[in-house]
Amino acid sequence: MTLAIVRVPVLTDNYAWLIHDPVSGETVAVDPGEAAPVQAAAAERGWTIDQVWTTHWHPDHIGGNAALQAAGARITGPAAEAAKIPTLDSTVGEGDTVRIGTEVAHVWHVPGHTAGHIAFHLAGADAIFTGDTLFALGCGRLFEGTPAEMFANMQRYATLPDTTQVYCGHEYTQSNGRFALTVEPDNAALAMRMTAVDAARAAGEATVPTTIALERATNPFLRATDAGEFAKLRESKDNFRG
């Protein structure tokens, strides 16, 4: 049986994720910005949250950790940010692994948004949890890192199979897409995608997860050819008001 992955809206525009293994009965919460909606989503499915996987220290990604820990969940997160995440029970970094049932997630160090940011790649489930690094049609702001670091992350994500599902931390797709259209106004795949995104948002629907194939075709940050081009894109996006 395959893993079940459930999107849980939290706070204003964040997404937490529940991963459930029907064989072992284990459930992981990824980046629970607040506890109550995540606990409610698990409870309505009869699941108990056993673990929390944290991608980075920002409060909108760890706000629910303490309550979930108090309810019995074990918290795992980036070793490089342990001083900023007091709830951590265990720490991981590049090359480490975590498990849900028999499924193994490989930890990637993907700095830039924060210095110690990590991602969780479940190759067996064709899924990666990217936090605030790779977004649908965009990438995270560089609060603690360099364009070269984030460009390297994008290049690494681009090596994943086309079918890899990308589970990111925010509903930013529409605003990201508006910027992307200014970069590639003649990209037919992007224009088609934005038509679908606008329709989904008008109907109150989510636009993630996405796929690596879709991001390769339409995400200007994943399509940048070098760190210099990436840096110009990131600066332009930071100043974009569309």
Side-chain angles (χ1 to χ4, degrees):
M1 297 179 71
T2 58
L3 296 176
I5 301 176
V6 175
R7 178 181 54 246
V8 184
V10 297
L11 303 172
T12 303
D13 54 24
N14 281 70
Y15 290 129
W17 301 94
L18 289 173
I19 313 169
H20 179 74
D21 174 32
V23 177
S24 67
E26 279 191 274
T27 303
V28 173
V30 180
D31 285 353
E34 57 180 333
V38 178
Q39 290 172 314
E44 71 184 37
R45 293 166 174 81
W47 301 345
T48 299
I49 299 172
D50 305 286
Q51 301 182 60
V52 172
W53 295 350
T54 298
T55 63
H56 66 293
W57 68 266
H58 284 166
D60 60 327
H61 290 255
I62 67 170
N65 281 15
L68 293 177
Q69 186 178 53
R74 182 174 180 82
I75 316 293
T76 299
E81 298 183 356
K84 296 181 177 181
I85 311 174
T87 50
L88 292 182
D89 295 301
S90 58
T91 60
V92 291
E94 174 66 37
D96 290 333
T97 59
V98 290
R99 289 178 177 269
I100 174 171
T102 60
E103 294 285 348
V104 176
H106 291 267
V107 177
W108 292 15
H109 179 220
V110 284
H113 183 68
T114 65
H117 200 301
I118 58 175
F120 298 93
H121 179 216
L122 280 157
D126 216 14
I128 190 160
F129 294 84
T130 60
D132 284 1
T133 53
L134 177 60
F135 287 129
L137 287 172
C139 77
R141 286 180 178 266
L142 303 178
F143 292 122
E144 297 178 4
T146 66
E149 287 176 324
M150 191 66 94
F151 173 71
N153 297 338
M154 297 300 109
Q155 293 291 289
R156 189 176 185 184
Y157 287 132
T159 67
L160 291 168
D162 283 355
T163 52
T164 304
Q165 296 279 311
V166 178
Y167 298 89
C168 59
H170 289 272
E171 182 57 68
Y172 289 164
T173 314
Q174 193 170 42
S175 60
N176 286 343
R178 288 173 184 151
F179 171 74
L181 284 170
T182 71
V183 178
E184 296 189 28
D186 298 322
N187 184 328
L190 173 58
M192 184 179 301
R193 183 178 182 185
M194 277 305 292
T195 298
V197 166
D198 288 341
R201 296 308 295 152
E205 298 171 357
T207 64
V208 294
T210 179
T211 66
I212 290 295
L214 197 51
E215 297 313 307
R216 278 204 200 98
T218 58
N219 186 331
F221 295 98
L222 205 68
R223 292 163 63 80
T225 56
D226 58 48
E229 179 185 354
F230 179 92
K232 291 176 182 176
L233 284 171
R234 188 60 258 177
E235 183 180 7
S236 295
K237 179 61 167 68
D238 289 345
N239 295 312
F240 182 69
R241 298 293 181 268

